[in-house]
Amino acid sequence: MHSTSAAHAPLIADGPGVGRPLLTYLDGATGERTDLSAAALGGWAARTASMLRDGCRLTAGDRVAVLLPPHWQTAAVLLGAWSAGITVSFRPWASAGLAPLDTSPEEPLDAVFVARRRLDSWLETVPAARHRFVLGLAADGAALDEVPDGYRDYAAEVRRYPDLPPAYQEIRGDDPASPDGTSYEEWARLAGELAAMWGLRRGDRVLVDVARHEEPAKWLLAPLSAGASIVLCADLDRANLDAHVAAEDITHVL
């Protein structure tokens, strides 16, 4: 990724198939289905980037923590932060309570995004941050009925910002995308290697069991790097996997 426009390229480029969404989110337990075109996902990412820059006054190099599951809103948060040059720490649910993030009350993060249900877990310690956003991850991006003290509702806040990418300083490939110093080029290389290992190609449609793949490099970056579209499945009924594959025109299952 060499600039903000390049960071948005996977989102605003032509989709991997005519009439096919770039990202689909399915929840087998609730029946929720959300389909996002490349333009729609790019718009959500752009709103997030604008919120972080104009609303939170963050700039390239500032630090954000993401404590969210694989979800279309998580994709918007990650892509929006990265497109603004902000470094992102990601902690999956599986490591809650085991992998503390690099922060302290004396040096809080600049922003944190956390799933509502993780706030109720005794295992979870949400890192200190100047700006704290909670996500209910409701169908259609609906806002929370009640927002916990000290937090802002991401779904409500992000809609206040335009869905076009704002102008930013150039983001170079060797700029850090993570607080540990991993660069944009290194993340892109890893995503490409994963895509090659799985045999992903442009036009593929990849079904991802979110219970098996929490890391964004796998469920988000690898398919996008190959030009594939993504079907994220929560509470996937693997006993009826063949039916899902046929219904969604799936070419690869992760």
Side-chain angles (χ1 to χ4, degrees), residues 7 9 12 17 27 32 60 63 80 84 106 122 172 199 201 215 238:
I12 62 177
D27 189 322
E32 175 190 349
R63 300 175 303 149
E106 294 75 26
W122 64 270
R172 298 167 304 205
R201 299 180 183 277
E215 294 293 341
R238 297 191 75 90

Side-chain angles (χ1 to χ4, degrees), residues 30 33 49 64 69 71 158 163 180 248:
T30 66
R33 180 188 185 100
V64 165
H71 192 275
V158 77
D163 61 359
D180 63 3
E248 299 293 339

Side-chain angles (χ1 to χ4, degrees), residues 187-204:
W187 277 116
R189 188 179 307 118
L190 173 61
E193 290 170 354
L194 287 170
M197 180 178 71
W198 292 327
L200 305 184
R201 299 180 183 277
R202 182 172 181 80
D204 279 337

